[in-house]
Amino acid sequence: MFWPLVPQSIHSRSRAQRLAAFFAATLLSGCASFTPDRGMGVVADVADQTIKKGVISIRTESDAAHAQDVVRGLLRRSLTVDSAVQVALLNNRGLQAAYNELALAETDLIADSLPPNPTFSISRIAGNGALEVERRVVGDILALATLPFRSDIARERFRKAQLRAAEETLRLAAEVRRAYYRAVAANDLMVLFTDAKSTAQSTAQLAEKLGRTGSLNKLDQAREQAFYAETTADLAALRQEATSSRERLVRLLGLWDGDIAIRLPQRLPALPGRPRSLPGIEVDAVAHRLDLQMARIELAALAKSLNLTQASRFVTLIDVAGIDRKTRDPEGLPFKERGFDVQFQIPIFDGGEVRVRQATETYNQAFNVLTEKAVNVRSEARDAYRVYRSTYDIAGHYQREVLPLRQIITEEMQLRFSSMQVDVFALLTEARQRLAVLRAAIEAKREFWLAQSELQTAVNGGGRRSGDEQPSGSRSTTTAQAGGAH
């Protein structure tokens, strides 16, 4: 077979065109641009789908003014748990800092998606009438060739940063819900013990008068005085708890002290008519938990990084330089020289085994972390639902059984007191027992609402950071005290 003769210049031109086309395609595939919302679209979607709330990244004065208008409108009314969460999402500066972190992550994405800048150098050497000027343009060919792969990895990292910002949003919402229910429960208990203190004070004064007349022995008089003193101490502790709970809520809402007085209900919400039925809660948690999604993204990014490391294990540096040299000799005519220079490392001592081993172990570590997290997520979801159902049953038991029975006992004791079958101190003893039961019922209701918040967190993500407060165990202690009050 005979091949047609083609001039060498045509071959060189076609190779140059193919090379230029390759580099152009590489640049276009690797380059990225800033998003208009700085990655907030994913965060807004997660917030809307999971907690039905709006979020905003405040960057301009108009954004700040809009957020403040919405916050003021919500604070004009008594706060509900939903309005408290919305105020925090718009006004908490820690959350805004997390959104700034997301914007910084986008800059890392753009930086990792840009082709490497070429290096230009010029040298001038003169002596004895001779002059040599050399210009060089040096480019990292290996970095340019691997740009699409590194850009894909950077996009995975940015996706993880978006989910991290969304997780911070859900975490703040969960913290606000917990603080809200604790603050309202403290108000509920404070109202209860304010009335109890008034009753105990009247009883103590009556006991003191009867003691002076000799109608009441010293033991019974001391019991009534002790009950009044204990109720006063309990009320003081509850007031402090209410103040601290309110201040924690104020911090989460991002409000300056004294700016706007928040108004909270004096009673916890009533229990729902029936508990939620979640037969597929484990599946839902595995599908929706943001920390699990971030672990999957991290594993995918490490897999791509491992493949890139294995592909480039032997060659870690390829620099190509274009050279333009001009020489002027006093004894001859000036002339120009053009050429190129290629530099690359020879893998004699380091064949890339260390980098490959590090990438492999990092990938295996991420895989094991993901597996452990998946196991933990399923267990946390099951446990959260069991706690939710048990707290619902306990709080419902107080509402349906214990409190109505206590009401019957109170009414019967009042009837017997009216017919002079029992004295006033028997009636007061029953009042003390009823107070303990009412306190236990309020705390049981509080534990249910906290458990419902934990259930939502277990399914969607946004759990506590290390060191955050745990749910109080005062309900069981109070219940024991109530059962032993006779």
Side-chain angles (χ1 to χ4, degrees):
M1 179 179 293
F2 295 94
W3 294 95
L5 297 176
V6 181
Q8 182 65 29
S9 59
I10 297 179
H11 281 296
S12 301
R13 192 160 52 245
S14 62
R15 284 197 300 269
Q17 290 173 349
R18 288 195 299 269
L19 187 61
F22 167 75
F23 285 132
T26 301
L27 296 179
L28 290 176
S29 62
C31 290
S33 58
F34 287 105
T35 57
D37 58 358
R38 292 176 171 85
M40 283 295 297
V42 172
V43 181
D45 290 342
V46 170
D48 179 65
Q49 294 172 6
T50 56
I51 57 178
K52 310 300 182 185
K53 296 292 179 292
V55 295
I56 182 175
S57 178
I58 300 175
R59 297 186 179 88
T60 63
E61 293 182 359
S62 61
D63 292 340
H66 172 70
Q68 285 301 313
D69 289 342
V70 176
V71 169
R72 290 192 186 98
L74 293 173
L75 293 178
R76 291 191 188 101
R77 301 181 294 272
S78 179
L79 280 179
T80 65
V81 65
D82 290 330
S83 61
V85 169
Q86 185 62 79
V87 169
L89 295 183
L90 296 177
N91 205 53
N92 186 283
R93 292 298 169 174
L95 183 61
Q96 292 299 319
Y99 294 161
N100 296 141
E101 189 71 23
L102 174 59
L104 291 174
E106 188 179 32
T107 63
D108 294 336
L109 166 64
I110 300 301
D112 291 338
S113 300
L114 293 175
N117 291 323
T119 302
F120 175 77
S121 65
I122 182 171
S123 61
R124 183 178 184 276
I125 302 175
N128 295 328
L131 175 64
E132 181 177 285
V133 179
E134 180 177 290
R135 303 177 185 86
R136 283 175 172 259
V137 178
V138 184
D140 189 345
I141 301 301
L142 182 62
L144 189 62
T146 58
L147 178 62
F149 307 99
R150 292 186 291 108
S151 180
D152 287 342
I153 296 172
R155 288 190 181 91
E156 296 287 346
R157 305 289 190 197
F158 180 60
R159 170 66 176 168
K160 179 182 177 181
Q162 289 178 305
L163 294 182
R164 187 182 299 113
E167 186 182 41
E168 288 298 319
T169 303
L170 298 186
R171 178 177 290 115
L172 176 62
E175 290 177 357
V176 170
R177 287 194 298 268
R178 286 191 288 265
Y180 177 86
Y181 288 129
R182 291 182 187 281
V184 175
N187 287 344
D188 205 344
L189 289 171
M190 193 169 60
V191 171
L192 174 66
F193 271 76
T194 299
D195 295 339
K197 179 187 174 183
S198 178
T199 302
Q201 184 178 12
S202 301
T203 305
Q205 293 173 351
L206 176 61
E208 184 180 359
K209 292 178 181 179
L210 294 176
R212 285 197 298 265
T213 62
S215 301
L216 186 67
N217 60 48
K218 191 172 183 179
L219 176 61
D220 291 335
Q221 183 180 354
R223 283 174 177 169
E224 301 307 323
Q225 294 289 344
F227 176 64
Y228 172 61
E230 292 168 0
T231 305
T232 302
D234 287 340
L235 179 59
L238 288 171
R239 282 176 176 165
Q240 177 58 46
E241 182 182 350
T243 302
S244 298
S245 300
R246 183 185 182 89
E247 286 298 329
R248 172 160 178 78
L249 181 61
V250 167
R251 290 196 299 271
L252 292 172
L253 298 182
L255 300 175
W256 288 96
D257 183 21
D259 273 358
I260 302 176
I262 61 174
R263 291 184 294 170
L264 295 175
Q266 298 299 315
R267 296 284 189 272
L268 283 168
L271 294 176
R274 62 181 60 185
R276 299 168 60 186
S277 178
L278 299 173
I281 186 172
E282 297 177 46
V283 177
D284 292 340
V286 171
H288 297 103
R289 278 283 289 262
L290 293 182
D291 52 350
L292 203 57
Q293 295 182 41
M294 286 190 291
R296 294 191 191 102
I297 291 175
E298 179 67 17
L299 186 65
L302 289 175
K304 293 179 180 179
S305 179
L306 175 59
N307 292 335
L308 181 60
T309 302
Q310 291 175 337
S312 61
R313 62 176 297 179
F314 296 110
V315 180
T316 59
L317 173 65
I318 299 179
D319 285 344
V320 177
I323 303 172
D324 181 84
R325 181 182 300 166
K326 181 179 180 181
T327 304
R328 187 178 64 190
D329 194 328
E331 298 180 356
L333 297 175
F335 60 93
K336 292 184 177 181
E337 297 174 302
R338 291 184 177 86
F340 63 91
D341 180 30
V342 178
Q343 295 182 6
F344 58 90
Q345 288 183 343
I346 302 175
I348 298 177
F349 305 106
D350 182 8
E353 180 64 27
V354 174
R355 293 187 299 113
V356 172
R357 183 66 62 86
Q358 289 174 341
T360 302
E361 293 304 322
T362 303
Y363 174 82
N364 292 336
Q365 181 187 37
F367 176 79
N368 290 325
V369 168
L370 174 60
T371 305
E372 180 192 27
K373 190 176 293 294
V375 172
N376 293 342
V377 163
R378 293 173 65 91
S379 175
E380 290 170 8
R382 293 192 301 267
D383 184 59
Y385 185 70
R386 292 192 187 104
V387 173
Y388 166 79
R389 283 304 306 265
S390 64
T391 54
Y392 179 84
D393 294 339
I394 293 171
H397 181 71
Y398 272 100
Q399 299 296 322
R400 294 187 305 270
E401 303 291 339
V402 180
L403 293 182
L405 288 174
R406 274 294 165 187
Q407 183 64 29
I408 293 174
I409 293 173
T410 300
E411 293 173 354
E412 291 295 323
M413 290 294 292
Q414 290 175 348
L415 290 175
R416 283 163 174 73
F417 175 73
S418 299
S419 60
M420 302 183 67
Q421 298 181 26
V422 296
D423 59 11
V424 65
F425 299 107
L427 187 65
L428 294 175
T429 299
E430 191 280 328
R432 288 197 292 269
Q433 296 174 358
R434 185 169 184 268
L435 174 64
V437 171
L438 289 174
R439 179 174 188 171
I442 293 173
E443 292 177 343
K445 189 188 293 187
R446 178 195 63 192
E447 294 302 317
F448 164 74
W449 289 113
L450 292 175
Q452 178 173 277
S453 178
E454 295 298 328
L455 177 64
Q456 187 173 358
T457 300
V459 174
N460 297 321
R464 293 184 181 88
R465 301 185 185 92
S466 59
D468 282 359
E469 60 179 340
Q470 298 294 324
S472 63
S474 57
R475 183 194 56 76
S476 59
T477 303
T478 309
T479 305
Q481 293 173 351
H486 294 290

